[in-house]
Amino acid sequence: MRRLLGFLLLLSTVGLWAQPCDTSQVTSSAITLLSVDSENGNHPAVDMLDGDPNTYFQTNGNDPFPHEIILDLGGSKNINQLTIRPRQDQTQGRLKDYTIYISDDPQAWGDRQAHSQVLYDFNTDRDQKVIDFGAVSGRYVRLLGLSTDDAARPYRWTISELEIWADSCATISHINQTLDFDLPDKAKSIREPIPLTASATSGLSVNFEVVSGPAVIDGGKLSFTGEGKVRVRAFQEGDGTYYPVSTQREIQVLDPSNYPPAVDVSVHELYPVEMFTLKPYPVYAYVELVDEELFEIDTVVFEISGKRYIAEKEGNAYRINWQPEKYGLKRFYTKAITKDGVATIDSQLIVVATPLLDRTARAFYGDVIQFGGENSRWLTKSFELPTHVGVYDSLHARFWTECPNVNGGCDDWDRLAWIEVQKPSGEWVEIIRYITPYGKGCNSSIDLTDYMGILHGKVKFRMFIDTWGTGGWDVNLELDYFKGAPDHDYSQVDVLWKGAYSFGNLANLQPVEIKDYTFREDGSAPRLHLVTTGHGWGQNNTSNAAEFLHNIHHVYVDQTPTFVQDLWADCNPNPDGCQPQFGTWEFDRAGWCPGAIANRYIYDLETYRTQGTINLMYRFDSSYVDYCHVNNPNCISGVTCSNCNDGYNPFYQVSANIITYYDSITPTAPEVRTQNEAVAGTQFNFEIVPNPATESIELVVAGTKALLSWSLMDLSGRVIMGNESMTSQALNGKVLDISSLPIGLYMIRVVSGNEVMTKRLIKE
């Protein structure tokens, strides 16, 4: 039966030859683990030799490949097979590339005996994999793991069971040869044929065949005939000196026409584009590709009121500075085209208007962050904010927490938290630092006027709470925009410092990066916003730092101490009125209090603006040293400190942004087109009638003769209903029943050939 299993699983291994007469497992109890280069303390390497598939070996997850396992079999054996069973409860860390050596001397390994890839039949495949090679005599086995198929955890390797097999009657009359054979992991179906090359260590010629999938080999080149998973086998049949050898590679082939780009635009239909006088407004298109290694955006085009604008790439987005010519309703098309000619069109009706009143926009509302829940520590959402330029002179945020309807209710502890928004460049900017209260809900507010430049249009928010399972938080954020003429129409936010920095660590007492900052030539009123909160305390942190230690820090400008940060907060009374609480809420702390938005220190940089560029340093209080630290050479556990390796040492969570104001931007000029040129985006189109709707809708399609497919989706992208391969005539006459849908916002997508258009449906 053992021999039969080895034969049946041959397609996922190396090796192709007549099986020897008596392959049997080397008893696990006879095998000694000589060494392993990386292992997790909770999942040691010996667990792969214990005969229990429910336990497993795991590398520590921080050490990069290759990883090495060396085994002693207790005596020389004619080894011809290894079997490897991945971790059984998950697919994390499945082995991909490997090399095997066999020797009688663990210091001299000689030539490799096997070198290939493990292939898996499906995403959750956790079956045992067999690695065959020609029998070779040796006492020691060296298994090199070269890579894993787990892209999310590229340093993690797991094995639940590793078995060694030997042939007691084999005649060692040949030499193992191995193949070097590489193919890309992914390819487009329309690409040029791939020349197949492989080399055998024997120097003998190598042949190829397609094992499965939409591909053919012609003239030594691999061509694709469609989309799907392709397996290609390289093999060398051996001769009087060498054993035969075979190895396989797998390519995921994608048809570009099936993967149109996704387009999201910063302007939206919920609010008008508001301005007192007509002036340029920055509009961004966010384009996502299913696979950014294979597919590439060629052009992003905006078409507004019949004029065509070519967008410029800016970070993760594509931008135009749109100058409306008059107020009123505008048909707004955004078209993203890949280099393969696949296009997606977003269509909206946008109103340009003068401001009428103050506005309130809701971001998070009733959203729950709970460790292990849907939003486990992180909560990310996009929200539609007022779309404006130069019409609001102040912006205030109201943030509050409530006890959620989850196990444990409100978290019992004061957790580090923050709220960030994403700039069009993709960079995240912290706008609020918060520490949760002890076991109760509370309310806070903060002036965010300086962040008006990134708080307009469609914006992605995310919130982090460092909760670990003792309850959760219902979080809510509202933004109040107050009508009025600001001093400046535009502003930008630049992130200077952001992250956690150790405090008092003798290995690096000043860990914050030194930065040069260059001011905008047309900028004015630059300000530095600095938020620092101290964390880590206890008997192993000298002086209860950083949470309960009052320190003075400085910001240096051009190597001169210029700004003072007296990092302390009086917590009783609570600065945001969040009292009484449980726990030690009334104790003063380093820059924060439980249940309150953290202190924000604002420094005026106007004096330095004319210099063009300045050098900035954030210097921690140099008088503090954490003597109870693994990096203190004089720390002795149990003598000078309870535990020098405790690891929970003082640190500061730091966020520093520079905000600069300016008064104008250059409008993007529309493209000059000839009279006969078609307006891209206005050919294929569809409308939802009626919209909003209660019972039913119809889709009115125009400008295409291609077969259509359509889908109605919720905001998470889940398809609720749809159909494929319909003519526009058939779709135009079809009534879609939406009466059973809950009230809310939905998206309808229609695909025509290589163009995709998405519009909103409001169900009332």
Side-chain angles (χ1 to χ4, degrees), residues 684-707:
F684 160 53
N685 191 18
F686 79 94
E687 299 294 340
I688 305 169
V689 181
N691 190 15
T694 304
E695 298 295 329
S696 64
I697 59 171
E698 292 185 25
L699 302 184
V700 181
V701 182
T704 179
K705 295 181 180 180
L707 289 176

Side-chain angles (χ1 to χ4, degrees), residues 1 200 235 431 462 490 608:
M1 185 64 184
F235 59 97
I431 60 171
R462 71 181 184 185
Y490 306 95
Y608 304 94

Side-chain angles (χ1 to χ4, degrees), residues 232-266:
V232 180
R233 174 174 170 256
F235 59 97
Q236 210 299 310
E237 296 178 344
D239 60 10
T241 302
Y242 291 96
Y243 288 113
V245 65
S246 169
T247 187
Q248 294 183 26
R249 294 295 183 267
E250 195 170 76
I251 308 177
Q252 187 66 45
V253 182
L254 303 181
D255 182 344
S257 64
N258 293 332
Y259 301 94
V263 180
D264 203 9
V265 187
S266 61

Side-chain angles (χ1 to χ4, degrees), residues 61 65 91-97 120 123 146-158 185-186 290-291 293:
F65 280 89
T91 55
Q92 294 178 359
R94 296 184 302 188
L95 178 64
K96 185 178 181 183
D97 296 279
Y120 300 92
N123 290 338
L146 304 179
S147 68
T148 173
D149 78 334
D150 188 350
R153 302 171 180 83
Y155 294 169
R156 181 173 295 177
W157 180 20
T158 64
D185 292 331
K186 295 172 289 187
V290 170
D291 192 310
E293 294 180 14

Side-chain angles (χ1 to χ4, degrees), residues 291-524:
D291 192 310
E292 294 188 352
E293 294 180 14
L294 287 184
F295 307 131
E296 185 179 354
I297 291 296
D298 180 74
T299 310
V300 174
V301 178
F302 291 90
E303 293 189 0
I304 310 162
S305 300
K307 293 189 175 182
R308 189 170 189 258
Y309 303 83
I310 305 298
E312 292 186 1
K313 184 76 182 293
E314 182 179 307
N316 287 356
Y318 294 81
R319 170 178 173 165
I320 64 168
N321 295 329
W322 173 46
Q323 173 70 69
E325 295 179 343
K326 58 183 179 180
Y327 295 102
L329 187 65
K330 316 291 180 183
R331 172 58 72 180
F332 209 102
Y333 293 100
T334 309
K335 184 175 184 178
I337 311 164
T338 70
K339 289 189 179 295
D340 300 304
V342 181
T344 296
I345 304 171
D346 178 86
S347 174
Q348 300 185 73
L349 284 173
I350 301 298
V351 177
V352 180
T354 55
L356 298 176
L357 67 172
D358 298 340
R359 293 194 181 276
T360 295
R362 178 172 288 172
F364 301 123
Y365 188 75
D367 295 290
V368 174
I369 298 178
Q370 178 195 19
F371 185 74
E374 179 181 354
N375 304 305
S376 181
R377 307 180 81 218
W378 281 101
L379 167 65
T380 303
K381 279 189 171 184
S382 291
F383 298 100
E384 294 169 329
L385 306 180
T387 308
H388 59 88
V389 56
V391 299
Y392 298 109
D393 60 7
S394 63
L395 168 60
H396 294 263
R398 290 178 283 121
F399 175 74
W400 68 97
T401 57
E402 297 179 356
C403 294
N405 184 24
V406 299
N407 185 33
C410 274
D411 193 335
D412 297 332
W413 292 93
D414 50 341
R415 305 291 191 183
L416 173 64
W418 57 77
I419 298 175
E420 299 172 330
V421 298
Q422 191 173 38
K423 293 169 57 178
S425 65
E427 186 176 36
W428 288 94
V429 178
E430 182 181 305
I431 60 171
I432 294 175
R433 176 77 54 78
Y434 185 72
I435 313 295
T436 63
Y438 287 97
K440 65 173 292 184
C442 287
N443 296 272
S444 297
S445 61
I446 185 173
D447 186 339
L448 291 180
T449 303
D450 278 346
Y451 292 89
M452 191 97 71
I454 57 174
L455 292 173
H456 60 90
K458 184 177 289 185
V459 178
K460 184 176 287 187
F461 285 72
R462 71 181 184 185
M463 182 171 187
F464 171 81
I465 301 181
D466 193 22
T467 187
W468 284 102
T470 55
W473 292 103
D474 178 321
V475 297
N476 307 270
L477 177 66
E478 286 188 345
L479 302 174
D480 295 321
Y481 295 77
F482 296 97
K483 179 183 170 184
D487 293 335
H488 306 278
D489 288 336
Y490 306 95
S491 64
Q492 76 177 35
V493 181
D494 297 308
V495 177
L496 189 65
W497 298 302
K498 186 166 175 280
Y501 300 88
S502 61
F503 181 43
N505 181 352
L506 279 167
N508 187 4
L509 289 173
Q510 298 298 338
V512 182
E513 307 90 341
I514 299 172
K515 295 286 186 72
D516 288 331
Y517 182 78
T518 301
F519 296 99
R520 289 182 64 106
E521 292 184 1
D522 60 346
S524 62

Side-chain angles (χ1 to χ4, degrees), residues 628-683:
C628 190
H629 194 288
V630 66
N631 288 334
N632 177 11
N634 298 318
C635 188
I636 303 173
S637 294
V639 179
T640 65
C641 176
S642 298
N643 181 6
C644 298
N645 298 306
D646 177 75
Y648 191 58
N649 299 106
F651 73 94
Y652 285 126
Q653 188 72 32
V654 177
S655 170
N657 305 315
I658 294 179
I659 292 90
T660 305
Y661 288 90
Y662 54 104
D663 294 315
S664 65
I665 58 176
T666 302
T668 302
E671 188 180 56
V672 177
R673 294 179 287 112
T674 65
Q675 186 175 2
N676 294 327
E677 280 187 291
V679 180
T682 58
Q683 301 300 300

